[in-house]
PDB file of all heavy atoms in Angstrom:
ATOM      1  N   THR A  98      94.658 -28.982  87.197  1.00 98.00           N
ATOM      2  CA  THR A  98      93.532 -29.775  87.693  1.00 98.00           C
ATOM      3  C   THR A  98      92.523 -30.020  86.576  1.00 98.00           C
ATOM      4  O   THR A  98      91.987 -31.127  86.420  1.00 98.00           O
ATOM      5  CB  THR A  98      92.849 -29.053  88.878  1.00 98.00           C
ATOM      6  OG1 THR A  98      93.818 -28.883  89.920  1.00 98.00           O
ATOM      7  CG2 THR A  98      91.666 -29.851  89.416  1.00 98.00           C
ATOM      8  N   TYR A  99      92.280 -28.980  85.777  1.00 98.00           N
ATOM      9  CA  TYR A  99      91.349 -29.097  84.651  1.00 98.00           C
ATOM     10  C   TYR A  99      91.875 -30.099  83.612  1.00 98.00           C
ATOM     11  O   TYR A  99      91.135 -30.963  83.135  1.00 98.00           O
ATOM     12  CB  TYR A  99      91.142 -27.718  84.019  1.00 98.00           C
ATOM     13  CG  TYR A  99      89.994 -27.681  83.025  1.00 98.00           C
ATOM     14  CD1 TYR A  99      88.680 -27.527  83.449  1.00 98.00           C
ATOM     15  CD2 TYR A  99      90.233 -27.791  81.656  1.00 98.00           C
ATOM     16  CE1 TYR A  99      87.629 -27.484  82.546  1.00 98.00           C
ATOM     17  CE2 TYR A  99      89.188 -27.750  80.745  1.00 98.00           C
ATOM     18  CZ  TYR A  99      87.890 -27.604  81.199  1.00 98.00           C
ATOM     19  OH  TYR A  99      86.851 -27.577  80.295  1.00 98.00           O
ATOM     20  N   LEU A 100      93.154 -29.986  83.273  1.00 98.00           N
ATOM     21  CA  LEU A 100      93.744 -30.903  82.279  1.00 98.00           C
ATOM     22  C   LEU A 100      93.676 -32.354  82.765  1.00 98.00           C
ATOM     23  O   LEU A 100      93.390 -33.269  81.985  1.00 98.00           O
ATOM     24  CB  LEU A 100      95.199 -30.539  81.987  1.00 98.00           C
ATOM     25  CG  LEU A 100      95.500 -29.161  81.396  1.00 98.00           C
ATOM     26  CD1 LEU A 100      96.961 -29.082  80.981  1.00 98.00           C
ATOM     27  CD2 LEU A 100      94.606 -28.818  80.229  1.00 98.00           C
ATOM     28  N   ASN A 101      93.929 -32.550  84.041  1.00 98.00           N
ATOM     29  CA  ASN A 101      93.925 -33.907  84.615  1.00 98.00           C
ATOM     30  C   ASN A 101      92.554 -34.577  84.552  1.00 98.00           C
ATOM     31  O   ASN A 101      92.476 -35.805  84.568  1.00 98.00           O
ATOM     32  CB  ASN A 101      94.389 -33.857  86.076  1.00 98.00           C
ATOM     33  CG  ASN A 101      95.873 -34.148  86.207  1.00 98.00           C
ATOM     34  OD1 ASN A 101      96.355 -35.167  85.735  1.00 98.00           O
ATOM     35  ND2 ASN A 101      96.601 -33.227  86.830  1.00 98.00           N
ATOM     36  N   ALA A 102      91.511 -33.768  84.513  1.00 98.00           N
ATOM     37  CA  ALA A 102      90.147 -34.317  84.547  1.00 98.00           C
ATOM     38  C   ALA A 102      89.564 -34.584  83.158  1.00 98.00           C
ATOM     39  O   ALA A 102      88.424 -35.043  83.047  1.00 98.00           O
ATOM     40  CB  ALA A 102      89.237 -33.353  85.303  1.00 98.00           C
ATOM     41  N   MET A 103      90.324 -34.305  82.098  1.00 98.00           N
ATOM     42  CA  MET A 103      89.781 -34.437  80.736  1.00 98.00           C
ATOM     43  C   MET A 103      89.527 -35.898  80.374  1.00 98.00           C
ATOM     44  O   MET A 103      90.435 -36.723  80.431  1.00 98.00           O
ATOM     45  CB  MET A 103      90.758 -33.843  79.719  1.00 98.00           C
ATOM     46  CG  MET A 103      90.828 -32.331  79.714  1.00 98.00           C
ATOM     47  SD  MET A 103      92.106 -31.774  78.556  1.00 98.00           S
ATOM     48  CE  MET A 103      91.617 -30.073  78.306  1.00 98.00           C
ATOM     49  N   PRO A 104      88.294 -36.243  79.939  1.00 98.00           N
ATOM     50  CA  PRO A 104      88.022 -37.595  79.460  1.00 98.00           C
ATOM     51  C   PRO A 104      88.471 -37.754  78.002  1.00 98.00           C
ATOM     52  O   PRO A 104      88.793 -36.771  77.322  1.00 98.00           O
ATOM     53  CB  PRO A 104      86.497 -37.703  79.563  1.00 98.00           C
ATOM     54  CG  PRO A 104      86.019 -36.305  79.357  1.00 98.00           C
ATOM     55  CD  PRO A 104      87.084 -35.397  79.939  1.00 98.00           C
ATOM     56  N   LEU A 105      88.468 -38.994  77.522  1.00 98.00           N
ATOM     57  CA  LEU A 105      88.899 -39.276  76.146  1.00 98.00           C
ATOM     58  C   LEU A 105      87.787 -39.057  75.128  1.00 98.00           C
ATOM     59  O   LEU A 105      88.067 -38.663  73.985  1.00 98.00           O
ATOM     60  CB  LEU A 105      89.389 -40.725  76.027  1.00 98.00           C
ATOM     61  CG  LEU A 105      90.711 -41.063  76.696  1.00 98.00           C
ATOM     62  CD1 LEU A 105      91.043 -42.535  76.489  1.00 98.00           C
ATOM     63  CD2 LEU A 105      91.835 -40.189  76.138  1.00 98.00           C
ATOM     64  N   THR A 106      86.564 -39.348  75.514  1.00 98.00           N
ATOM     65  CA  THR A 106      85.457 -39.286  74.554  1.00 98.00           C
ATOM     66  C   THR A 106      84.201 -38.735  75.219  1.00 98.00           C
ATOM     67  O   THR A 106      84.095 -38.710  76.444  1.00 98.00           O
ATOM     68  CB  THR A 106      85.118 -40.690  73.992  1.00 98.00           C
ATOM     69  OG1 THR A 106      84.777 -41.561  75.080  1.00 98.00           O
ATOM     70  CG2 THR A 106      86.283 -41.280  73.199  1.00 98.00           C
ATOM     71  N   TYR A 107      83.269 -38.329  74.380  1.00 98.00           N
ATOM     72  CA  TYR A 107      81.926 -37.956  74.837  1.00 98.00           C
ATOM     73  C   TYR A 107      80.938 -38.619  73.894  1.00 98.00           C
ATOM     74  O   TYR A 107      81.011 -38.435  72.671  1.00 98.00           O
ATOM     75  CB  TYR A 107      81.746 -36.445  74.825  1.00 98.00           C
ATOM     76  CG  TYR A 107      80.364 -36.011  75.290  1.00 98.00           C
ATOM     77  CD1 TYR A 107      80.074 -35.924  76.652  1.00 98.00           C
ATOM     78  CD2 TYR A 107      79.359 -35.707  74.378  1.00 98.00           C
ATOM     79  CE1 TYR A 107      78.819 -35.539  77.097  1.00 98.00           C
ATOM     80  CE2 TYR A 107      78.100 -35.317  74.812  1.00 98.00           C
ATOM     81  CZ  TYR A 107      77.830 -35.239  76.168  1.00 98.00           C
ATOM     82  OH  TYR A 107      76.581 -34.862  76.589  1.00 98.00           O
ATOM     83  N   HIS A 108      80.001 -39.402  74.445  1.00 98.00           N
ATOM     84  CA  HIS A 108      79.030 -40.151  73.646  1.00 98.00           C
ATOM     85  C   HIS A 108      77.643 -39.576  73.865  1.00 98.00           C
ATOM     86  O   HIS A 108      77.121 -39.602  74.975  1.00 98.00           O
ATOM     87  CB  HIS A 108      79.064 -41.632  74.052  1.00 98.00           C
ATOM     88  CG  HIS A 108      78.210 -42.503  73.187  1.00 98.00           C
ATOM     89  ND1 HIS A 108      77.771 -43.750  73.582  1.00 98.00           N
ATOM     90  CD2 HIS A 108      77.698 -42.318  71.937  1.00 98.00           C
ATOM     91  CE1 HIS A 108      77.042 -44.290  72.613  1.00 98.00           C
ATOM     92  NE2 HIS A 108      76.978 -43.434  71.609  1.00 98.00           N
ATOM     93  N   ASP A 109      77.073 -39.028  72.799  1.00 97.00           N
ATOM     94  CA  ASP A 109      75.681 -38.602  72.831  1.00 97.00           C
ATOM     95  C   ASP A 109      74.832 -39.798  72.405  1.00 97.00           C
ATOM     96  O   ASP A 109      74.722 -40.116  71.217  1.00 97.00           O
ATOM     97  CB  ASP A 109      75.464 -37.423  71.879  1.00 97.00           C
ATOM     98  CG  ASP A 109      74.023 -36.958  71.854  1.00 97.00           C
ATOM     99  OD1 ASP A 109      73.478 -36.657  72.932  1.00 97.00           O
ATOM    100  OD2 ASP A 109      73.424 -36.923  70.756  1.00 97.00           O
TER     101      ASP A 109
END
Side-chain angles (χ1 to χ4, degrees):
T98 300
Y99 191 82
L100 299 189
N101 265 306
M103 287 176 161
L105 289 180
T106 58
Y107 180 82
H108 186 200
D109 179 54

